[in-house]
Amino acid sequence: MKLYIVGTPIGNLGDMSPRAVQTLQHCDFIAAEDTRVTARLLHHFGIATPMVSYHEHNARTSGAAILQRLQGGKVAALVTDAGMPAISDPGQQLIDACHQAGIPVESVPGPTAFATALALSGMPSGRFTFEGFLSTTKRNRREHLAALANETRTMIFYEAPHKLPHTLRDLAEHFGDRPLAIVRELTKLHEQVIRSTCAQAALDYPEATLKGEIVLVLAGAEPVKPETLSLDQAVALARDYADKGATLPEAAKRAARESGCRRNEIYAQLTKEY
């Protein structure tokens, strides 16, 4: 009784790990997003394990059936068309249900498009946020992008090629000349990184001329620097803290942190008054 979450190649079949092949060979059945796509993968590696369909449109009914088989002692592998299940792909509901039912869940990691694109883009990667696919509803898209106006982390989006021009126009409207990388066809023959800006990309690609799976990597906003106070204002702030019971060193330290002025200068002025 166990569910394996198996990552599959995002383009190049050479990225399939030996452990992933072994897991798919030895489990009782495979839950696949699209059995036709997974059939080609299984054929390539000579795997004959039976499959069941599990995707966003049948997640409730198929998930219940899969859960029942797992509770009966079977071992299953969950795969999607490419990459890791549950990352902008089906799987989260089934994985959650297994945890709640006490069924062991084990990962067999594989390629993930957003992490690969971020590394390949050359954009800041110390902190980032994965935003997945933008909504197809105009209002929801605008609300989503508006909420990211002051996001300082690098942002990563997935997009379908036929929707890209519309998305680039939306990004240009909300982020202007913010740096943007368009990463497409990851691990495939025509892998490409286009480094541009939101505004320029919208001008360069007004039609759906870029093909293949696309990841957009958007630079975060510049951090808002705290307003710097004058020394007199900082001393007044420290005086207020001291009057409320803080020691002079603590008052000077807090005022320095909030004003941008040097603590020792604030302290020197403060001690002349007390």
Side-chain angles (χ1 to χ4, degrees):
M1 180 174 66
K2 181 179 288 189
L3 176 69
Y4 286 96
I5 310 169
V6 181
T8 55
I10 56 178
N12 191 320
L13 292 179
D15 294 332
M16 187 75 167
S17 74
R19 182 172 168 231
V21 172
Q22 185 179 49
T23 300
L24 296 182
Q25 285 175 330
H26 293 100
C27 64
D28 294 307
F29 68 97
I30 298 167
E33 178 183 6
D34 187 329
T35 54
R36 296 166 300 181
V37 173
T38 301
R40 292 194 290 271
L41 178 74
L42 300 186
H43 177 74
H44 179 83
F45 290 101
I47 299 170
T49 306
M51 289 185 287
V52 298
S53 174
Y54 178 82
H55 50 75
E56 61 177 330
H57 302 297
N58 73 352
R60 179 174 296 180
T61 55
S62 181
I66 292 169
L67 191 66
Q68 186 175 33
R69 293 180 68 180
L70 291 171
Q71 289 173 319
K74 298 296 185 181
V75 174
L78 173 66
V79 300
T80 56
D81 293 349
M84 283 298 292
I87 306 298
S88 279
D89 270 326
Q92 182 269 324
Q93 291 176 310
L94 178 60
I95 295 164
D96 181 51
C98 286
H99 284 305
Q100 292 192 41
I103 296 170
V105 180
E106 186 172 322
S107 67
V108 183
T112 304
F114 77 82
T116 307
L118 176 61
L120 193 59
S121 72
M123 303 281 269
S125 58
R127 298 182 69 217
F128 63 90
T129 172
F130 175 60
E131 300 295 327
F133 286 97
L134 288 168
S135 172
T136 56
T137 305
K138 187 174 182 179
R139 178 180 176 182
N140 291 343
R141 285 166 68 90
R142 289 183 175 276
E143 289 178 350
H144 188 166
L145 293 175
L148 296 173
N150 298 316
E151 175 59 68
T152 58
R153 295 170 293 181
T154 299
M155 292 162 276
I156 307 171
F157 303 86
Y158 285 166
E159 193 51 281
H162 67 281
K163 296 178 183 176
L164 181 64
H166 186 192
T167 296
L168 292 178
R169 289 193 290 271
D170 284 346
L171 293 179
E173 178 183 340
H174 284 83
F175 302 105
D177 287 326
R178 190 84 67 81
L180 175 74
I182 303 172
V183 186
R184 55 182 291 271
E185 291 291 80
L186 282 168
T187 75
K188 299 177 184 176
L189 179 63
H190 299 293
E191 179 178 276
Q192 184 181 25
V193 179
I194 303 168
R195 287 169 59 102
S196 184
T197 67
C198 296
Q200 189 60 51
L203 293 174
D204 291 342
Y205 304 102
E207 305 295 335
T209 54
L210 293 178
K211 305 301 181 182
E213 299 299 322
I214 292 171
V215 184
L216 301 172
V217 186
L218 175 65
E222 290 293 330
V224 178
K225 295 182 180 179
E227 184 179 352
T228 301
L229 303 179
S230 68
L231 179 58
D232 287 343
Q233 290 173 314
V235 172
L237 184 61
R239 187 186 305 118
D240 182 59
Y241 286 137
D243 290 343
K244 292 178 179 177
T247 63
L248 297 188
E250 177 61 26
K253 182 178 179 180
R254 292 176 63 182
R257 184 167 57 243
E258 296 177 28
S259 68
C261 296
R262 296 172 64 87
R263 181 181 62 82
N264 59 347
E265 292 179 350
I266 299 172
Y267 184 75
Q269 292 292 325
L270 196 61
T271 54
K272 293 177 181 179
E273 301 178 15
Y274 288 87

